[in-house]
Amino acid sequence: MADILQTARLTLRPMRMEDAPALHGFFSDPIAMAYWSKPHATFEETEAWVRGTVEAPASQTREYSILLGEEVVGKAGLWKSPELGYFLRRDHWGKGYMPEALTTLIPHLHREMCEVMTAEVTPGNTPSLSLLADMGFKETHRGEKDYWDGTAWIDTIYLQRTATDPILVRRPKEARG
């Protein structure tokens, strides 16, 4: 069974069905979804996504809800291992939560599931590309119009890291001098 992980400010625990309402805050936000897919028009779409994730085989999918206190503010994990995916609700962007979560989660996932981890990013998503570079991911190749986001064909940057690639350790913004 997947572990509960702690950082200085966050708890990462296996995703549950009851996380769907909080995660819908991301999935229904057109700005947050701009680099991923078409926003969910209904809660039922989010509920179906969460159900598919929760019910996926643990040997292939290990998704964690990111909690700030008792509030679910995002998710991170492997979907169809070895692909890393993550998001935060927009009201929690820019606070250093995702680097904090991934600095703990990535080594855990390497130990538990895979030696090599991959990620896919839309070229315009510079915050995600920067974060992945900080987490030790390196670009392997690019695809042109190889992903349909529900509205248009999108280019993709493919990245990967191994368990021995270093992670740039960052302190939360509140702790910086």
Side-chain angles (χ1 to χ4, degrees):
M1 183 62 187
D3 297 332
I4 295 177
L5 307 172
Q6 287 293 146
T7 73
R9 301 179 293 170
L10 306 169
T11 301
L12 287 79
R13 62 146 170 79
M15 188 179 291
R16 303 174 184 160
M17 280 306 301
E18 55 265 27
D19 298 338
L23 296 176
H24 186 65
F26 174 86
F27 280 116
S28 62
D29 182 343
I31 293 170
M33 291 288 283
Y35 293 111
W36 190 7
S37 188
K38 197 168 65 171
H40 291 181
T42 67
F43 173 70
E44 289 74 24
E45 288 178 80
T46 300
E47 194 173 45
W49 187 94
V50 172
R51 180 174 292 104
T53 299
V54 168
E55 293 176 357
S59 62
Q60 297 174 4
T61 297
R62 191 95 40 103
E63 291 279 7
Y64 290 79
S65 292
I66 300 171
L67 285 78
L68 180 62
E70 298 296 316
E71 179 186 17
V72 176
V73 298
K75 74 93 183 167
L78 294 182
W79 170 253
K80 295 185 179 176
S81 181
E83 186 180 338
L84 179 72
Y86 52 86
F87 65 71
L88 282 175
R89 286 193 345 239
R90 190 160 41 113
D91 56 329
H92 294 286
W93 288 1
K95 298 176 183 174
Y97 294 141
M98 194 55 72
E100 185 176 334
L102 293 181
T103 298
T104 297
L105 183 60
I106 287 172
H108 176 75
L109 292 171
H110 275 308
R111 283 188 304 274
E112 297 292 317
M113 294 187 70
C114 60
E115 171 68 21
V116 175
M117 197 174 291
T118 64
E120 300 175 8
V121 180
T122 303
N125 192 347
T126 52
S128 191
L129 287 167
S130 176
L131 173 62
L132 288 168
D134 289 348
M135 295 298 119
F137 281 82
K138 294 175 183 60
E139 183 177 331
T140 59
H141 63 287
R142 291 179 179 231
E144 187 175 317
K145 293 182 174 45
D146 58 350
Y147 175 71
W148 177 255
D149 75 352
T151 61
W153 285 101
I154 305 295
D155 296 344
T156 305
I157 299 174
Y158 296 90
L159 306 103
Q160 84 173 28
R161 62 164 281 122
T162 66
T164 58
D165 289 327
I167 292 176
L168 170 64
V169 178
R170 294 198 214 177
R171 293 178 300 159
K173 286 184 177 185
E174 290 79 37
R176 294 180 191 164

